[in-house]
Amino acid sequence: MMQKLTVKEEELMDFFWEKGALFVKDMRDFYTEPKPHFNTLSTIVRGLEEKGFLSHKAYGNTYRYYAIISHDEYSRGTLTNVVSKYFGNSYLHAVSALVKSENITIDELKQLIHEVETQSVQTRDKKKK
């Protein structure tokens, strides 16, 4: 199961997902004042590497880090965790809760069903080839 990220870790991962490979020193530029300390960013980045989200390439005595988990992979893992924890591992219960709380309309639900059916047919047709 994919580990959950803290708010700060997710914020840093967003930089990697948006901008690609980065040196820690360059990350400070993405923040407004007061900018986080280099050592703080470095610690978070090393933690992300330990969790399996980042890897690095050495350039002399400095490292350029890059994401090895895509944003889509992380999102799917996060959604799976939420459905498991709060909806008894039932996507049906999760969608039902969205409909009941009116966070999704019936028309949106119909559109979603249509998209899933279309995708399912396309996937099946590709496997036949």
Side-chain angles (χ1 to χ4, degrees), residues 46-96:
R46 284 195 311 274
L48 286 166
E49 189 170 31
E50 286 173 20
K51 286 183 173 184
F53 284 85
L54 297 176
S55 189
H56 71 268
K57 184 173 181 186
Y59 291 87
N61 62 354
T62 188
Y63 295 151
R64 187 171 185 214
Y65 293 89
Y66 56 92
I68 55 176
I69 299 283
S70 73
H71 190 264
D72 283 348
E73 289 171 305
Y74 179 67
S75 296
R76 280 194 303 273
T78 301
L79 180 59
T80 299
N81 289 341
V82 167
V83 170
S84 172
K85 184 174 181 178
Y86 298 106
F87 299 100
N89 229 9
S90 168
Y91 282 88
L92 182 60
H93 289 136
V95 172
S96 177

Side-chain angles (χ1 to χ4, degrees), residues 12-27 30 38-69:
L12 274 182
M13 283 306 300
D14 283 338
F15 295 144
F16 287 102
W17 290 323
E18 290 171 22
K19 301 174 186 320
L22 298 164
F23 292 99
V24 173
K25 65 180 173 58
D26 296 329
M27 288 180 210
F30 307 137
F38 174 89
N39 290 345
T40 303
L41 293 176
S42 184
T43 299
I44 296 169
V45 166
R46 284 195 311 274
L48 286 166
E49 189 170 31
E50 286 173 20
K51 286 183 173 184
F53 284 85
L54 297 176
S55 189
H56 71 268
K57 184 173 181 186
Y59 291 87
N61 62 354
T62 188
Y63 295 151
R64 187 171 185 214
Y65 293 89
Y66 56 92
I68 55 176
I69 299 283

